[in-house]
Amino acid sequence: MSIALRPHHNGRAALSGVFRDALVHERTVVSHMEVSLQGETPKFVHVVHSGLMCRSHMLADGRRQITAVLLPGDICNVEAVLTGKADYSVSALTAGSIGEIPTGSPLEINDLAPDLRQAFWSQTLRDAAILREWMIGLGRRNALERTAHLFCELWTRLQHIGLADVDGYEMKVTQSDLGDILGLSGVHVNRTLQQLRAIGFIHFRNGTLRISNPAELTKLAGFDPSYLG
Amino acid sequence: MSIALRPHHNGRAALSGVFRDALVHERTVVSHMEVSLQGETPKFVHVVHSGLMCRSHMLADGRRQITAVLLPGDICNVEAVLTGKADYSVSALTAGSIGEIPTGSPLEINDLAPDLRQAFWSQTLRDAAILREWMIGLGRRNALERTAHLFCELWTRLQHIGLADVDGYEMKVTQSDLGDILGLSGVHVNRTLQQLRAIGFIHFRNGTLRISNPAELTKLAGFDPSYLG
DNA sequence: CGCACAGTTGACGCACATCAACCTGGGTGG
DNA sequence: CCACCCAGGTTGATGTGCGTCAACTGTGCG
């Protein structure tokens, strides 16, 4: 499947056009596989085709924090390609596949074609807006609100690319990985999910998230989708 | 003082050139003044001249989180000017002054002059790298490590623009504001600072931070300056 | 069948929040 | 010039959200 054939919206419309004629090598990844490594210079622009990927950071003692969840259509390593150094790893939260577009020497933004530049720019702005929202969550929301907010965000983003169901979406992510996204322990994620289920907001079984009460979930999270463009 | 006269480095070299001939109105701000408001469309590109500014977010119940500390030379609202909507307020952490450059209708990145585009781009990338590092801190580092990391980051950034002393820097920020940066309560910031002082890493009095043991502070923080470009 | 990994549960501890009182110093007005 | 004021800083007591550890329970795969 070519990236140009996926449904796309917002900044991503430009993206598929840009890469339509590029030499794109598709690569299948299994869950938890590392696509590119923290500290290295990536030799490809990576674009998610299917599945969920993430940008993750490892501390010296093994603590891990995920700073982005990447959905189909998302560029995994915008900055890294241009600055020549990644401060994060890209790895797979679920099985899936990614496109690899070879890149030459580090480029400046003004070396890029206008449509590619536009694609990189809009994705970078959106990534930054999501980062800020996550930071608000990590700093000032408790586990329940934060988890609810993540579920709302992903639902909206998946709707934009036509991958959401009317009452939820598929999300084959382990609770431990959810913890690394939310800054929680795996155990506490489990308890938080149970709590969200107990109050009738969600059901989460076998990698499928069903949102039973979207209005209340949104309210609990304090979720306002406008930052997602 | 014109922004073109300040010392500048990295991406900011381009910035001052870009704005050298622009109509820049200088505005003095007192501590805690709001420069632009969450949810509104800013009518200016704001650039910090002197003092410390921040991007801050307010939740409905009054909880506050700061998602960026802006130093002299930093653009306060890169995205907002282009997308026409700010999800954050810009406000002053200390007294200081900012430059206001009027902006017309919302612009696309490709409408910008190459040097301005380069300036916006490099600042946005660096902002994102800092955001990721803060997120790692909020998610996975304790109060002591997180505070140490912030002090290391600001020291490095201030060195880059020639505003650091050999053994520390001026930082007239209230402990409560520090809490909003670090995702902590003001009370706990106070105790954390005392702890950092008790182990002989810093002294922080009258708005001056003196770093007594840079090597150990860096080690405690797990600070690696490479993400700052 | 059984191994390995993910999810679940309970016991316990700690890092941080919250509340409340008190201290301190710089700015202001009478 | 002193008295007051008040924001910011400091300290102690107490509460709690989440982490950690450990054991047990599914569940899919070789």
Side-chain angles (χ1 to χ4, degrees):
Chain A
M1 170 166 51
S2 158
I3 186 170
L5 298 177
R6 314 206 109 270
H8 37 68
H9 305 256
N10 302 324
R12 281 173 196 72
L15 179 61
S16 59
V18 165
F19 290 134
R20 186 176 294 119
D21 301 321
L23 177 65
V24 178
H25 176 244
E26 180 150 357
R27 180 172 156 197
T28 302
V29 295
V30 299
S31 182
H32 295 104
M33 176 181 276
E34 310 245 289
V35 173
S36 75
L37 254 58
Q38 196 168 353
E40 296 192 354
T41 301
K43 285 178 279 297
F44 302 94
V45 178
H46 291 293
V47 179
V48 182
H49 275 195
S50 61
L52 263 56
M53 310 290 145
C54 70
R55 294 197 262 257
S56 66
H57 303 247
M58 210 77 166
L59 298 188
D61 62 358
R63 284 176 288 182
R64 180 174 180 245
Q65 179 67 39
I66 290 172
T67 56
V69 171
L70 304 162
L71 308 184
D74 286 341
I75 308 171
C76 303
N77 49 356
V78 176
E79 324 74 28
V81 170
L82 291 169
T83 62
K85 177 109 142 284
D87 58 332
Y88 51 79
S89 300
V90 174
S91 53
L93 288 172
T94 71
S97 64
I98 57 166
E100 295 185 324
I101 300 133
T103 165
S105 51
L107 297 167
E108 296 288 333
I109 185 72
N110 283 322
D111 297 336
L112 299 177
D115 50 359
L116 193 52
R117 201 190 283 149
Q118 171 63 38
F120 273 37
W121 177 253
S122 57
Q123 159 118 19
T124 301
L125 288 193
R126 165 190 283 230
D127 282 355
I130 294 172
L131 275 169
R132 281 192 295 271
E133 202 57 51
W134 283 25
M135 189 174 305
I136 298 166
L138 285 168
R140 295 305 187 197
R141 287 196 257 255
N142 64 27
L144 204 63
E145 298 167 326
R146 209 184 305 164
T147 307
H149 200 279
L150 177 69
F151 289 160
C152 290
E153 178 203 304
L154 291 178
W155 203 20
T156 302
R157 289 173 62 193
L158 287 166
Q159 281 165 2
H160 284 173
I161 54 173
L163 291 178
D165 298 335
V166 283
D167 63 346
Y169 48 93
E170 181 183 283
M171 199 191 175
K172 296 199 183 312
V173 177
T174 69
Q175 294 182 2
S176 173
D177 283 340
L178 271 178
D180 288 340
I181 295 171
L182 295 165
L184 299 170
S185 70
V187 171
H188 200 72
V189 167
N190 184 292
R191 296 188 160 117
T192 304
L193 292 175
Q194 287 179 50
Q195 207 179 336
L196 282 172
R197 184 159 155 274
I199 56 182
F201 287 11
I202 65 161
H203 287 262
F204 191 18
R205 287 197 67 77
N206 301 327
T208 299
L209 180 71
R210 179 167 297 235
I211 297 181
S212 330
N213 195 334
E216 284 300 316
L217 189 72
T218 301
K219 190 172 149 209
L220 168 65
F223 177 73
D224 171 0
S226 62
Y227 73 98
L228 292 172
Chain B
M1 170 165 49
S2 158
I3 185 170
L5 298 177
R6 310 207 112 266
H8 36 68
H9 304 256
N10 303 324
R12 281 173 192 75
L15 179 61
S16 58
V18 164
F19 290 134
R20 185 173 295 121
D21 302 321
L23 178 66
V24 178
H25 176 246
E26 179 150 359
R27 181 173 155 198
T28 301
V29 295
V30 301
S31 183
H32 295 105
M33 175 180 277
E34 310 245 287
V35 173
S36 76
L37 251 60
Q38 197 168 353
E40 296 191 354
T41 300
K43 287 180 278 299
F44 301 94
V45 179
H46 291 294
V47 179
V48 182
H49 275 196
S50 61
L52 263 55
M53 310 290 148
C54 71
R55 294 198 264 255
S56 67
H57 304 248
M58 209 78 165
L59 298 188
D61 62 356
R63 284 176 288 182
R64 177 171 183 251
Q65 178 67 40
I66 290 173
T67 56
V69 172
L70 304 162
L71 308 186
D74 286 341
I75 307 170
C76 302
N77 51 356
V78 177
E79 324 74 31
V81 170
L82 292 168
T83 63
K85 179 111 141 282
D87 59 332
Y88 51 80
S89 299
V90 174
S91 52
L93 289 173
T94 70
S97 64
I98 55 166
E100 296 185 324
I101 301 133
T103 165
S105 52
L107 297 166
E108 296 289 331
I109 184 74
N110 283 321
D111 296 337
L112 299 177
D115 51 357
L116 193 53
R117 200 190 283 148
Q118 171 63 39
F120 274 37
W121 177 253
S122 57
Q123 160 121 17
T124 303
L125 289 193
R126 163 191 284 230
D127 281 355
I130 294 172
L131 276 169
R132 282 192 296 272
E133 202 59 49
W134 282 24
M135 189 174 305
I136 298 167
L138 285 168
R140 296 304 186 198
R141 287 196 258 255
N142 64 28
L144 204 64
E145 298 167 325
R146 210 185 304 162
T147 306
H149 199 280
L150 177 69
F151 289 160
C152 289
E153 178 204 303
L154 291 178
W155 202 21
T156 302
R157 290 174 62 193
L158 287 168
Q159 281 165 359
H160 284 173
I161 55 175
L163 292 179
D165 297 334
V166 283
D167 62 347
Y169 46 93
E170 182 183 285
M171 198 192 177
K172 298 201 182 309
V173 177
T174 69
Q175 294 181 2
S176 173
D177 283 340
L178 271 178
D180 288 340
I181 296 172
L182 295 166
L184 299 169
S185 68
V187 172
H188 201 72
V189 167
N190 184 291
R191 295 187 161 118
T192 303
L193 292 176
Q194 286 181 50
Q195 206 178 336
L196 282 171
R197 184 158 155 275
I199 56 183
F201 288 12
I202 64 161
H203 286 260
F204 191 18
R205 287 197 69 77
N206 302 326
T208 299
L209 181 69
R210 180 166 296 237
I211 298 183
S212 332
N213 195 334
E216 284 301 316
L217 189 73
T218 302
K219 190 172 151 207
L220 167 65
F223 177 73
D224 172 1
S226 61
Y227 72 98
L228 291 172

